Every structure is written in structure tokens, then in C-alpha cells.
Amino acid sequence: MDHEGGGEKHEVGMSGPKKPKRSCVYWGMLLLRFLALCATVLATLIMSLNKESKTMVVATIGTNPINATVTAKFQNTPAFVFFVIVNSIASLYNLVMLLVDLFGYKFGFKGIKLLIMTVLDMGTVALVSAGTGAAASMAELGKKGNSHARWNKICDKFERYCDRGGGALIASLVGICLLMALNVMSTIAIHKNARAHQSISN
């Protein structure tokens, strides 16, 4: 009897201070979140620090050329400013969600937390996609120009500026892909939780 009673007490004791299991899916989502954070931070830093100055001939008086120093920087293009803003927001969001992923279980709202994160991830993907698309269109214009609108290309003069901008766009696209993968995993996790609760209730 003592043996059985002790066994029952042991089971109750084990179920009391039960800690959340850290599954492979959890660590996979955590890794994707961290990589997405790195990608958006990298995109923000590369674009915000992107600047190149060159001295070039802007006019000629007789035989004397007039030189001027021209600087290309992201602040000159609203699309690039928007790109930096949305990637900064995504970076802050990913950092907060990473902390919530690590410590949020203490508050005991697993299902709701996953649902909120999934919705916020969708919004972040949409926001960063909009900023990246706008920046990519301006980058294409800078690279090839537009003969119909008589807009000259600038990438033949500011090569490093354009290369760095392209690197920032690639980093942002990687961040979008990682967030989309994270969104898929979150949706699958919500579906599994819903099925588990349904089977328990039945």
C-alpha cells in the first residue's frame, strides 16, 4: 500500500512543478528567429552606413573644368529611408520575440503567445517586404536609369555605394525568407496544439 501510495504521490509531485518541454520545433523556431534578427540588423546597418563621396567634373568654363564633391547616401532616397526604418522595426521586433521565446513560458500563455506571434510575424513580413520592394525598385533605377524619364544611372559612378545597397537588399530578403519559414512553423505548432487540446477534451 505504501508502495502504491508512494507511486501515486510521486506522479502527482512530478506533474506539479512540470516544466515546459523544449522540443526540436521550439529550438528550430528559436534558431530561425535569431537568424532573422541577424539578417534584419545586418540590412539596417549596411544601408544606414552606406555612403560614398566622389569628386567629379560638373561643368567646364573655357578649358577649365569645375570640380565638385558629390556624396551618395541613403538619406537622399525616401525608399532607402523607409527600408532602414522597416528593418529597424523588424530587428526590434525579432529581439523582443526572441526574449519572449526564451522567457515567455513563465507567464503560461503558450497557445495565445503562438497565435499572437504568428499574426505579428505576418505583419512584419508584409512591412519588410514593402520596404525591400521599394528599395529594390530604386536600386534598379540607380543601376540602369530610365531613358524614357531621362533619369541617368548612378551605379557607374558610385560602384561601392550600389554594391553595399545590393548587399543590404540581399540581407533583408534573407530575413523575409526566415520570417516566412518561422511563420509556417508557428502555424503548424498552433495546429498541433489545437489537435492535442481537442483530443484531450474528447
Side-chain angles (χ1 to χ4, degrees):
M1 289 178 65
D2 288 345
H3 214 49
E4 290 179 1
E8 287 178 5
K9 287 180 182 178
H10 180 67
E11 287 182 4
V12 172
M14 288 294 290
S15 62
K18 188 177 178 182
K19 292 183 179 180
K21 294 180 181 179
R22 301 300 176 90
S23 63
C24 294
V25 175
Y26 169 83
W27 291 113
M29 291 173 65
L30 201 66
L31 178 61
L32 285 175
R33 179 77 65 189
F34 176 73
L35 293 176
L37 171 63
C38 293
T40 52
V41 167
L42 190 62
T44 303
L45 290 176
I46 293 175
M47 187 63 82
S48 61
L49 298 174
N50 195 12
K51 185 178 180 181
E52 185 179 2
S53 298
K54 278 197 172 182
T55 301
M56 58 185 65
V57 178
V58 294
T60 303
I61 299 178
T63 58
N64 298 322
I66 299 176
N67 297 324
T69 300
V70 182
T71 302
K73 50 188 177 180
F74 86 96
Q75 294 96 326
N76 296 335
T77 307
F80 292 160
V81 174
F82 180 53
F83 176 87
V84 171
I85 291 172
V86 296
N87 274 280
S88 299
I89 293 172
S91 299
L92 180 60
Y93 164 74
N94 282 321
L95 178 60
V96 171
M97 289 299 104
L98 193 63
L99 295 175
V100 171
D101 279 339
L102 287 170
F103 306 112
Y105 70 90
K106 293 179 180 179
F107 301 102
F109 52 101
K110 295 180 186 176
I112 296 176
K113 184 186 76 173
L114 269 175
L115 181 60
I116 292 173
M117 281 186 173
T118 302
V119 173
L120 290 176
D121 284 344
M122 288 180 182
T124 305
V125 168
L127 190 63
V128 179
S129 298
T132 305
S137 65
M138 292 305 298
E140 182 69 12
L141 182 63
K143 183 178 180 181
K144 296 184 177 179
N146 190 320
S147 58
H148 300 287
R150 296 183 180 180
W151 291 337
N152 297 326
K153 58 184 179 180
I154 66 166
C155 286
D156 57 335
K157 302 177 182 65
F158 297 94
E159 297 90 354
R160 283 187 300 167
Y161 176 79
C162 290
D163 290 342
R164 290 169 187 165
L169 287 172
I170 292 171
S172 184
L173 287 171
V174 170
I176 292 171
C177 292
L178 290 168
L179 281 171
M180 289 177 67
L182 184 62
N183 204 283
V184 171
M185 292 185 71
S186 298
T187 304
I188 293 173
I190 289 174
H191 181 65
K192 285 184 177 179
N193 282 344
R195 290 183 64 181
H197 285 301
Q198 186 176 5
S199 62
I200 291 172
S201 62
N202 292 335

